[in-house]
Amino acid sequence: MEFKKLYFFVLYTTTMFAFGQYLPKWTLQGWTYPGYSAVDPTCWAYDEIIDGRFINVVKSEFLSVDENGYLDLKEDGFICNHNTATNYEFLRSNVAYNLVTISGAFNSAFSSFKKLLEDTQKINYFVNNALSFVVENDFDGVEINFEQFKLWQPIHWNNFKQLVTLLGDTLHYHSKMLCIIGPPFENHLDDNAVLWSYNQLKWLPVDYFVIMVYDYFYCNLNAPVAPLNWFKNVLEYSILQIGDVSKIVVGINSYGYTTSELIDIDNCHFAQPLRTFSQILQNPNYLNATRDPDSYELFWEENGDYYWFSDALSLSKKLLTAASYGITNFSVWHLGGNPWFDEGLTEKNFSPDSVHSVDWSDINNLLILNKSHAQSNALGSEVLLYFILKEKENFINANTLKFILIGSCTDCGNDSARIEVSISGDGGNSYFPVSFLHIRIPFDISYEILCEDS
């Protein structure tokens, strides 16, 4: 397919179909990128998709905006994860949901976005060619990754919203989804520093917002990629701006970096080469690494440089932190030579104040209960119980799974309380649990939990 010549026009109309959620409630997502060399860890991504780790959404950067502002296939010089019929078929066969990620031209991203967003005709070409790609290759939707936000001018922001509206409505008409990758904001000061507003975008036909809750170190020499206090602030402000947590996807870093000399402090740019986990392990000094209590990432110093990297524990800690806010969609940057989440996310790896294992012998101890998130509302105090899956291999194949909470409750007006929550399958062919279960109970209920597989 030659995108630069594929300029058919799809008539744009506002559809009668309401946009909504296309993905299951619980997702672990991963990005893949084309690679140039067999030794490039990026080229291990497809092995990781089928090595047993749970990944139900893959976002593949098969498309980019070229230096002239046109949508183009990423083909030249790549040997893996690139545009081939074989790769498309592999993804369709091994992943439940596949999105195509669209970025800018390498080393000239803003220049390419600028050419696109300043030309209405190119915006129309972009929408039609993106739709053509996902329909022709049976992908589930598009993920837009336009960055370098500090360089945006009003014309770019306004036309970006026009592009999002046109693309979202067009994709939804064809039952495809639209995801937007966006920057992390701690507060309104961050928000006002760039022309980007989740509060404006949330009214547009966007299904998911992928928040890049990483890259903190670019403005802070020798700092974690994502310190937890900053991570929490970003989540809280994102929820405040977007409102619906089911539309939020939290970007979690699996990579690390090494420090180097400062280049441009005003624009938050340092010469800090990124490193995959596999590359970090090639340096034997990683055995001297210390775990940072503010991020759970590991670091060590060597000849005046610092090395930072993530492991399974740091990934899992961030996932569970986000889960305590009710978020159930997580996207890892990136697949290929990087760790995955700690197996089982077991209690031994985390504070007992935030995570509690539940021994349910009748369901093979498949779930972990995270009951750290208490809140108050008009009905009084309550605690949200979050259940997360331990292992993909031990999914329960059943029609309905019922959770029963029985216990005494001082605020319930009676001596006991019985709360039942069920999730239904698809004629016995579904696997449980495919999502978090959110159960609200009075804050000071004392409870036991039973499980029934019906």
Side-chain angles (χ1 to χ4, degrees):
M1 180 185 298
E2 178 56 61
F3 278 102
K4 295 177 185 178
K5 296 179 182 178
L6 188 63
Y7 294 156
F8 63 91
F9 183 70
V10 174
L11 178 64
Y12 166 64
T13 59
T14 301
T15 76
M16 295 173 58
F17 303 103
F19 64 94
Q21 305 301 294
Y22 290 84
L23 297 174
K25 194 173 185 180
W26 158 251
T27 66
L28 279 179
Q29 311 175 10
W31 280 286
T32 71
Y33 300 89
Y36 291 100
S37 166
V39 299
D40 185 345
T42 300
C43 288
W44 307 351
Y46 284 15
D47 293 333
E48 294 177 358
I49 289 172
I50 59 176
D51 69 1
R53 64 187 73 187
F54 178 52
I55 303 171
N56 55 354
V57 181
V58 167
K59 290 93 76 71
S60 303
E61 192 176 276
F62 289 139
L63 302 176
S64 66
V65 181
D66 71 12
E67 64 276 4
N68 296 311
Y70 293 108
L71 196 60
D72 199 19
L73 291 170
K74 300 188 77 168
E75 294 180 297
D76 296 340
F78 299 114
I79 69 164
C80 69
N81 310 345
H82 56 311
N83 292 278
T84 68
T86 300
N87 287 342
Y88 300 158
E89 178 57 31
F90 171 86
L91 292 168
R92 287 193 296 264
S93 300
N94 291 284
V95 184
Y97 298 87
N98 283 287
L99 304 177
V100 58
T101 296
I102 304 176
S103 61
F106 184 67
N107 285 336
S108 59
F110 179 72
S111 176
S112 62
F113 303 150
K114 186 176 187 299
K115 295 284 183 63
L116 167 64
L117 295 175
E118 292 179 0
D119 189 324
T120 302
Q121 188 177 38
K122 290 180 180 178
I123 290 175
N124 289 330
Y125 294 158
F126 177 95
V127 170
N128 285 284
N129 288 325
L131 174 66
S132 176
F133 180 89
V134 298
V135 170
E136 179 178 328
N137 296 294
D138 195 23
F139 277 67
D140 297 292
V142 172
E143 181 181 71
I144 299 297
N145 184 25
F146 293 179
E147 299 185 30
Q148 296 183 286
F149 306 103
K150 288 190 174 182
L151 299 177
W152 290 36
Q153 298 299 315
I155 186 175
H156 307 128
W157 172 241
N158 290 330
N159 285 351
F160 177 73
K161 289 185 289 184
Q162 176 188 335
L163 181 151
V164 167
T165 302
L166 179 58
L167 180 60
D169 277 339
T170 303
L171 289 170
H172 291 153
Y173 186 85
H174 292 268
S175 299
K176 306 294 184 180
M177 72 185 85
L178 175 61
C179 305
I180 303 294
I181 297 177
F185 298 131
E186 278 192 276
N187 50 50
H188 70 281
L189 297 178
D190 288 345
D191 203 339
N192 294 337
V194 298
L195 288 171
W196 181 282
S197 169
Y198 291 108
N199 193 38
Q200 294 181 33
L201 291 174
K202 72 181 180 183
W203 304 108
L204 304 183
V206 180
D207 298 290
Y208 300 95
F209 295 97
V210 185
I211 314 297
M212 298 186 294
V213 199
Y214 46 74
D215 286 351
Y216 177 86
F217 65 97
Y218 275 123
C219 292
N220 301 274
L221 191 61
N222 184 26
V225 178
L228 278 178
N229 285 334
W230 172 80
F231 188 90
K232 293 176 183 177
N233 290 341
V234 171
L235 295 183
E236 290 170 3
Y237 190 70
S238 299
I239 293 170
L240 178 66
Q241 293 296 296
I242 296 170
D244 184 355
V245 294
S246 69
K247 298 181 69 171
I248 295 176
V249 181
V250 173
I252 295 177
N253 64 290
S254 58
Y255 64 93
Y257 73 97
T258 63
T259 59
S260 189
E261 60 185 75
L262 181 65
I263 293 181
D264 183 356
I265 192 170
D266 293 328
N267 291 308
C268 295
H269 185 70
F270 299 97
Q272 296 177 328
L274 301 184
R275 292 287 182 265
T276 65
F277 186 68
S278 62
Q279 290 169 330
I280 286 287
L281 296 189
Q282 293 175 16
N283 187 328
N285 288 325
Y286 87 90
L287 294 171
N288 300 321
T290 299
R291 192 171 299 279
D292 171 46
D294 191 31
S295 65
Y296 277 70
E297 297 169 22
L298 294 154
F299 69 98
W300 82 89
E301 182 181 7
E302 179 182 334
N303 299 324
D305 276 338
Y306 278 87
Y307 292 73
W308 286 83
F309 66 101
S310 298
D311 64 356
L313 176 57
S314 59
L315 267 71
S316 299
K317 184 66 175 179
K318 288 164 186 172
L319 182 150
L320 288 175
T321 297
S324 72
Y325 289 91
I327 293 169
T328 60
N329 297 299
F330 311 93
S331 190
V332 177
W333 202 94
H334 59 79
L335 297 179
N338 280 313
W340 201 240
F341 297 94
D342 184 70
E343 183 178 357
L345 301 176
T346 52
E347 179 183 18
K348 67 179 184 296
N349 296 314
F350 302 101
S351 165
D353 292 333
S354 62
V355 179
H356 300 262
S357 288
V358 182
D359 184 13
W360 294 330
S361 58
D362 57 335
I363 59 168
N364 300 316
N365 194 20
L366 289 178
L367 303 177
I368 292 174
L369 170 64
N370 174 4
K371 65 179 186 67
S372 63
H373 189 48
Q375 64 181 34
S376 297
N377 57 29
L379 299 177
S381 297
E382 61 184 13
V383 62
L384 303 184
L385 303 186
Y386 299 106
F387 297 91
I388 55 177
L389 178 67
K390 285 185 63 175
E391 299 179 49
K392 176 184 178 183
E393 291 77 8
N394 289 330
F395 279 11
I396 298 173
N397 190 353
N399 187 51
T400 303
L401 192 64
K402 182 185 295 182
F403 293 82
I404 306 172
L405 286 73
I406 303 174
S408 60
C409 173
T410 57
D411 295 334
C412 295
N414 55 26
D415 294 332
S416 65
R418 178 183 176 94
I419 302 171
E420 296 188 9
V421 176
S422 299
I423 52 176
S424 297
D426 181 16
N429 295 320
S430 292
Y431 293 91
F432 294 98
V434 294
S435 65
F436 277 86
L437 292 174
H438 294 191
I439 302 176
R440 297 175 180 269
I441 64 173
F443 183 69
D444 50 1
I445 189 174
S446 59
Y447 58 87
E448 60 178 325
I449 300 176
L450 307 175
C451 275
E452 295 181 358
D453 180 358
S454 59

